[in-house]
Amino acid sequence: MDSFNIERSRNYLKAFQFEDLFIDELGWNQAPAGQAGSVDVEGMTYRYQPIAELSGLMVFEVTAEDGQIPYSKKRMAVHREIAQSYHENLLIFVDADRVHSVWYWVKREGGKLYPRTHHYDAWQDPDFHLGKISGLFVAMSELDPEGRIEITRVVQRVQSALD
């Protein structure tokens, strides 16, 4: 795949089919099996399910047992827990009704962490959000002969799209 299909991407985003969006349209890999887990933060359990991977950067969908998306302080705590096992990650927090999501990536600079959040709701026009995440698209022509891309390039791409 060497081009980003806006119409299919729009449909996946509107339907909250983030795994299909990353794998079918953005050119990422299917996440390895057995990477799901949960973390407890301030008495609340958050489950994370891998949905895609590229050169070690994992994308997780995160849900809370109460069905709500946590506030920024708790999102950072969830990120810190997951980052112990998956240093490079993008977290997509989703509510129980699958109508609200918060895309959460943490920029590291000079030993400090700078969280970046992007909200997407099912009722929104997806084109604004697609404008951001289209930068995550990886064409086959960008891969080396073994089908890989350097992790530094993946992180730079995420930073360009979400910072």
Side-chain angles (χ1 to χ4, degrees):
M1 159 174 51
D2 275 322
S3 64
F4 181 68
N5 185 306
I6 293 173
E7 190 58 38
R8 280 196 310 253
S9 298
R10 182 182 293 129
N11 291 336
Y12 283 142
L13 188 58
K14 286 168 66 172
F16 274 55
Q17 292 177 293
F18 303 131
E19 183 173 7
D20 294 332
L21 174 66
F22 272 87
I23 295 169
D24 295 347
E25 297 308 323
L26 295 176
W28 288 51
N29 300 318
Q30 198 163 19
Q35 307 298 313
S38 64
V39 297
D40 292 317
V41 174
E42 297 180 21
M44 181 67 62
T45 300
Y46 297 91
R47 290 174 188 77
Y48 57 91
Q49 178 69 38
I51 61 171
E53 177 275 334
L54 188 60
S55 297
L57 192 148
M58 296 286 290
V59 181
F60 291 101
E61 191 172 290
V62 182
T63 55
E65 66 183 342
D66 69 356
Q68 302 297 310
I69 294 177
Y71 291 106
S72 59
K73 181 180 170 188
K74 289 185 182 181
R75 285 194 300 262
M76 178 56 86
V78 171
H79 162 77
R80 287 179 193 268
E81 289 290 326
I82 293 173
Q84 289 180 25
S85 299
Y86 307 97
H87 185 68
E88 298 295 346
N89 64 69
L90 168 60
L91 307 179
I92 304 174
F93 291 89
V94 180
D95 70 344
D97 295 329
R98 298 190 67 77
V99 296
H100 182 67
S101 67
V102 175
W103 295 49
Y104 189 84
W105 175 73
V106 177
K107 177 180 180 177
R108 293 178 195 85
E109 190 172 272
K112 295 191 181 207
L113 302 178
Y114 299 95
R116 302 296 190 242
T117 59
H118 300 274
H119 296 257
Y120 176 71
D121 296 315
W123 52 266
Q124 288 178 298
D125 181 343
D127 289 348
F128 179 71
H129 198 67
L130 279 177
K132 294 176 187 180
I133 64 173
S134 64
L136 302 176
F137 173 76
V138 176
M140 294 293 288
S141 60
E142 296 179 80
L143 304 176
D144 69 15
E146 286 79 37
R148 297 178 305 217
I149 186 171
E150 295 174 11
I151 183 66
T152 54
R153 290 182 60 202
V154 176
V155 171
Q156 288 170 347
R157 182 160 292 183
V158 172
Q159 181 173 348
S160 293
L162 302 177
D163 188 14

